[in-house]
Amino acid sequence: MRRGRFAPTPSGRMHLGNARTALLAWLHMRSLGGEFVLRMEDIDTARSRREWAELALLDLRWLGLDWDEGPDVGGPYAPYTQSERLERYEAALRKLEASGAVYPCYCSRADILSAASAPHGLSSEGPAYAGTCRHLTPARRAEKALHKEPSLRFALPENREVRFTDGIAGPQLFPPGSGGDFVIRRADGLHSYQLSVVMDDADMRITDVLRGSDLLDSTPRQILLYEALGLEAPAFLHVPLLNGPDGKRLAKRHGGIAISAFREGGAPPERLVGWLAHVSGLIDRPESVSAAELIGEFDLARIPREPVVVDVPDI
């Protein structure tokens, strides 16, 4: 059985880009006769709020999407909310520690910036980590631990390139050391996205991950974690982003993009679904259509391979 998912972060109102990814992930599974899972990625409790999670469920249902398992309907692999799954992340972390795949890092952000000479890592993280703490002696680690609580980093296997074929972006090759050794638990105890998403998808038997292309460069990290934990990685499909007229990722600066604003303003959901389907290459013009009506015509080959420049729809 094929199983896909949509996993929003409830740190704000769901917007057009989120809705498009949700629609495409849902159509992908429904067109295959598969199961669709909804999961809340609220592991960053400082940014996540319950009201945003509840609003996301309301917005998704308004768009005509449903799910077989999720935080509100339950399922065999519950819980479907990350903040309730911390024991699973700790268990994975202990397994990685036991195998020697992680090490404590005492560097501050300033230390990392000052030592940076490697190419930049993930765009949200700045320079790739130079491995400063990777080869510290036990004595040196004990000395540093007296002054600072460490984060834990995953040690990238040396001389290991990562290859995979993305269902939309095509063949991918990431050379050894891409992005540098990465944090899987912060110094404040917060587990990283990379570790939590791997455990969630493995535990929930996800076979296909369709998500935005901004997460494409996270994929080799996740593949290496799957391998280190003895788990099978799903198939990955990364959808090019929606950009505003200025060529930058669609955001609030381009106008009202919150799905709740369209819903509360009385817009018919079929018109918004039709617009999302049109900018995703699924239909020739932005006509009113329900999500269910798109299932029979869904084809991954029609999804654009480059970012799509759009104006905020007037619906």
Side-chain angles (χ1 to χ4, degrees):
M1 174 66 72
R2 301 283 284 275
R3 288 171 58 84
R5 50 80 161 174
F6 178 61
T9 299
S11 58
R13 295 177 184 269
M14 192 169 70
H15 56 70
L16 290 170
N18 305 139
R20 175 181 179 245
T21 302
L23 175 64
L24 293 177
W26 183 84
L27 287 171
H28 183 220
M29 279 303 103
R30 294 305 186 221
S31 69
L32 296 171
E35 297 173 335
F36 190 65
V37 177
L38 182 70
R39 182 174 72 235
M40 283 294 162
E41 295 192 340
D42 68 339
I43 194 169
D44 189 346
T45 54
R47 296 176 58 239
S48 300
R49 291 163 55 181
R50 177 183 290 273
E51 53 264 41
W52 297 135
E54 294 173 350
L55 187 61
L57 301 183
L58 186 62
D59 288 342
L60 290 168
R61 284 202 170 94
W62 177 74
L63 289 167
L65 308 186
D66 63 351
W67 40 95
D68 302 290
E69 302 165 27
D72 58 334
V73 298
Y77 306 113
Y80 295 91
T81 300
Q82 284 188 335
S83 58
E84 300 174 17
R85 297 178 48 78
L86 302 183
E87 290 183 2
R88 291 295 298 140
Y89 310 145
E90 275 300 311
L93 191 57
R94 288 193 296 271
K95 185 172 182 178
L96 292 172
E97 287 182 300
S99 69
V102 301
Y103 62 89
C105 175
Y106 302 91
C107 295
S108 65
R109 186 167 182 81
D111 294 333
I112 295 171
L113 290 172
S114 65
S117 59
H120 278 56
L122 298 172
S123 58
S124 62
E125 297 182 7
Y129 183 62
T132 306
C133 291
R134 182 165 179 166
H135 302 295
L136 291 178
T137 65
R140 186 63 176 145
R141 286 176 178 171
E143 179 184 343
K144 285 182 172 290
L146 295 174
H147 307 286
K148 189 179 188 301
E149 189 70 24
S151 61
L152 292 178
R153 288 186 182 271
F154 181 80
L156 294 181
E158 294 183 1
N159 303 316
R160 167 66 197 284
E161 64 182 19
V162 177
R163 293 176 181 265
F164 64 96
T165 299
D166 189 272
I168 294 175
Q172 302 293 312
L173 168 62
F174 289 82
S178 295
D181 297 346
F182 57 93
V183 172
I184 58 173
R185 190 180 69 189
R186 295 188 338 196
D188 61 5
L190 185 70
H191 298 91
S192 76
Y193 163 77
Q194 309 292 356
L195 179 64
S196 59
V197 75
V198 163
M199 289 308 301
D200 291 344
D201 285 339
D203 284 351
M204 296 172 192
R205 310 299 193 268
I206 300 301
T207 62
D208 298 79
V209 172
L210 188 153
R211 58 191 181 186
S213 61
D214 54 323
L215 292 170
L216 180 59
D217 60 2
S218 284
T219 306
R221 295 180 168 195
Q222 292 165 20
I223 288 174
L224 292 173
L225 281 174
Y226 277 108
E227 292 178 358
L229 291 165
L231 301 170
E232 183 177 353
F236 292 98
L237 307 93
H238 288 87
V239 181
L241 301 179
L242 297 182
N243 289 346
D246 58 359
K248 297 180 179 179
R249 184 176 179 175
L250 195 66
K252 292 178 182 178
R253 63 179 173 273
H254 297 114
I257 63 171
I259 303 305
S260 58
F262 292 101
R263 176 173 51 79
E264 293 165 1
E270 294 82 4
R271 288 185 62 183
L272 186 55
V273 169
W275 182 85
L276 292 169
H278 172 62
V279 300
S280 300
L282 302 183
I283 57 178
D284 295 332
R285 57 184 184 275
E287 59 188 3
S288 293
V289 63
S290 70
E293 290 174 311
L294 293 168
I295 295 174
E297 302 299 323
F298 181 74
D299 185 355
L300 285 172
R302 301 189 68 176
I303 297 175
R305 269 43 183 177
E306 299 294 335
V308 182
V309 176
V310 300
D311 287 307
V312 175
D314 182 16
I315 296 176

